Structures are given as C-alpha cells and as structure tokens.
Amino acid sequence: MARGSALWNVMTEAARKAARALRRDFGEVEQLQVSNKGPSDFVSAADIKAEKTLRAELQKARPRFGFLMEETGEIAGEDGKHRWIIDPIDGTTNFLHGIPHFAISIGLEMEGEIIAGVVYNPIVEEMFYAEKGQGAFLNDHRLRVSARTKMTEAVIATGIPFHGRPGHEPFLKQLGRVMNEVAGVRRMGTASLDLAYVAAGRCEGFWETGLQPWDIAAGILLVREAGGFVTDFKGGQDVLHGGNVVAANPKLHKQLLDLVTKG
Ligand code: IPD
C-alpha cells in the first residue's frame, strides 16, 4: 500500500515542513492586502523560501535525484533517472489575494514517467497522494473518480489563461460549448487541486491549456490512480510537457474531450 511507503514518508514530510512556513506567510498576506505596497514581493519571497525547503528536504532523503522547479528551473541529478517536479505554491494568485485555495505540488518522475505525486493544501490540511500502481489517497482514504455518467450532472473545473497570455478566444469557445452541457463550470485557480478534485470525485472533469509540468505532474498521477483518464487535446497519453489537459472519469472523458476540441 502506498500510504506508509518510503516515498510517501519522504514526500509528505517535505510538503508538511514547507507548509508550516507557508501557513504563517499566508496569515501575513491577509494583513498586507490593505497596505499600499501590497503583498507581491512578500509572496515571491514566500514562494522561493518554500521551494528551498522542499529542495533541501527531498535532497536530504534522495541525494542523487534531479529537480525541475517553478522558481529555480532544472537541476540535473547524479543518477540521471529520477527528478522531482515541484511547484511550491500552485495557485499563487489565490495566495496573493488571501484566498485559502492553493497547494504544494510534488511529482516524482522516473525515466520520463511520473511514479509518485503529492498535492497538499496546507490550509485545509488535505494531503492528496498517489503512487504508480498503488492507488490514490486523500489523507487516510482511498480515492475513486466519480461515477456520474451524465454531462448534465457534471461539475467541470477549468483554468482561464492569465492576463497577457494567449488563448482567450479559443478558451471562450471551449467554455461556451462545455457550459451548455454541464451542471456547472468552476475556475478555482489551482490546477494541481483541480486534478486532485477530479481524483476525489468532487468534479467529474477538468480541462486547461498552456499548463507547466509542475502544475500537473502530481495531479495527472492522482487522476489515473483514482481510475480516471488524462489526455492531451488529441487523446494522447503524453500530457506532461504539452500542457493541454483533459481529465475526467472514464464515462465522461470522451464527451468532455469532444466538447473542448470540436468546434
Ligand atoms: C497556475 C494555477 C492556475 C492555472 C495557471 C497556472 P501558479 O499556477 O495552477 O490554476 O490556471 O495556468 O499557471 O502560477 O499559481 O503556480
């Protein structure tokens, strides 16, 4: 069983350690909303500090593994096979605005394949964990994707391309098609948690374009280990580096993929 495995210990401990400081920093951010300068610099510093803690903890446990991190970029490892893919604060805009919906995301890649993942929301203390072939978990519970089979009953998560990034026009078309068919669409602001919510059966599906590997590495494995499908916009399995993601329970994946891609 994955919970209690050596990797589970290493990854969840690293996440918990970084989370302690993030929780304190998040408290400060709430105060800084009303200051003239705003919390931007403070949040950048919190992001970098969390990444350093994660790196130090993971390196202590697995000294030969490499890293791909949102803030620092790529650091090659001696073993050449394994690397940690890390987002210290996924959902930075939420964090910056004092919205308690963000996560630490850690994926472990072995020879190009994600073999373990953690997504941790430190505010509500939800630790999502998956290990290849061993299932997906939320704290103590095993996860399964939802069993809903009707689009009209589905809640679908998505992400709107940020200001200044391309893709607003196609996104609005995708949104128009999806929202016509489903019970509700959510833009929650943290892609790793969107995927974790699909794994937990809270949402039936999720789609977004232009994501980075650190936003999705852990979440992809969570959905697959919970019995869901994750593909790119052509239905292909190699999602990590393309950045376009459609994830859903097996009954609704094809329908969501068609809605998103067939204009
Ligand atoms: C962002 C979040 C957001 C998604 C963006 C990502 P960040 O990550 O995951 O939900 O819509 O595309 O960039 O920048 O907060 O780490």
Side-chain angles (χ1 to χ4, degrees):
M1 161 154 168
R3 228 185 98 79
S5 75
L7 267 180
W8 178 83
N9 271 319
V10 167
M11 296 172 77
T12 59
E13 275 313 302
R16 282 187 210 286
K17 180 139 192 206
R20 284 199 278 277
L22 275 188
R23 266 193 293 271
R24 281 196 302 273
D25 291 342
F26 184 70
E28 287 289 312
V29 165
E30 287 176 328
Q31 312 301 319
L32 289 169
Q33 301 299 343
V34 291
S35 78
N36 284 339
K37 199 163 149 264
S40 294
D41 292 347
F42 180 81
V43 170
S44 302
D47 216 344
I48 291 164
K49 189 170 63 183
E51 190 167 285
K52 278 196 181 136
T53 304
L54 291 167
R55 184 179 163 197
E57 289 300 304
L58 295 169
Q59 203 156 36
K60 204 159 62 184
R62 296 288 185 278
R64 292 165 51 79
F65 290 10
F67 289 88
L68 176 64
M69 295 174 287
E70 185 179 23
E71 304 303 322
T72 321
E74 177 138 32
I75 297 170
E78 274 172 35
D79 95 333
K81 284 188 190 161
H82 295 85
R83 68 176 179 172
W84 303 107
I85 303 181
I86 297 174
D87 193 344
I89 306 178
D90 186 30
T92 320
T93 307
N94 283 348
F95 192 98
L96 187 66
H97 285 255
I99 298 170
H101 187 80
F102 58 89
I104 293 168
S105 176
I106 309 170
L108 176 60
E109 190 182 46
M110 187 181 81
E111 295 177 321
E113 189 184 17
I114 304 299
I115 58 165
V118 156
V119 175
Y120 184 44
N121 177 340
I123 304 301
V124 294
E125 297 190 54
E126 287 192 325
M127 180 75 76
F128 295 91
Y129 179 78
E131 209 168 312
K132 176 102 182 128
Q134 304 293 318
F137 300 84
L138 165 53
N139 297 335
D140 288 338
H141 312 292
R142 180 117 191 196
L143 296 179
R144 292 293 302 167
V145 292
S146 98
R148 287 197 179 84
T149 56
K150 295 192 182 107
M151 266 299 178
T152 49
E153 292 173 0
V155 169
I156 305 294
T158 188
I160 305 167
F162 284 157
H163 176 75
R165 290 202 198 151
H168 283 108
E169 282 301 316
F171 172 76
L172 288 174
K173 293 199 175 111
Q174 293 157 13
L175 179 64
R177 292 192 294 269
V178 174
M179 67 192 234
N180 251 335
E181 304 286 331
V182 303
V185 176
R186 300 285 181 272
R187 198 301 184 235
M188 293 178 280
T190 304
S192 60
L193 284 174
D194 293 332
L195 287 162
Y197 281 22
V198 174
R202 294 174 180 173
C203 298
E204 277 59 47
F206 164 69
W207 94 95
E208 188 165 346
T209 56
L211 289 161
Q212 299 295 327
W214 45 79
D215 299 322
I216 52 177
I220 292 169
L221 188 65
L222 280 165
V223 174
R224 288 184 175 154
E225 286 295 321
F229 292 170
V230 187
T231 67
D232 62 20
F233 280 20
K234 292 186 172 143
Q237 299 297 307
D238 185 15
V239 184
L240 192 61
H241 301 285
N244 297 339
V245 179
V246 177
N249 79 31
K251 297 274 170 33
L252 294 176
H253 181 272
K254 170 90 171 56
Q255 286 176 65
L256 181 60
L257 180 65
D258 285 350
L259 282 172
V260 169
T261 58
K262 289 187 182 151

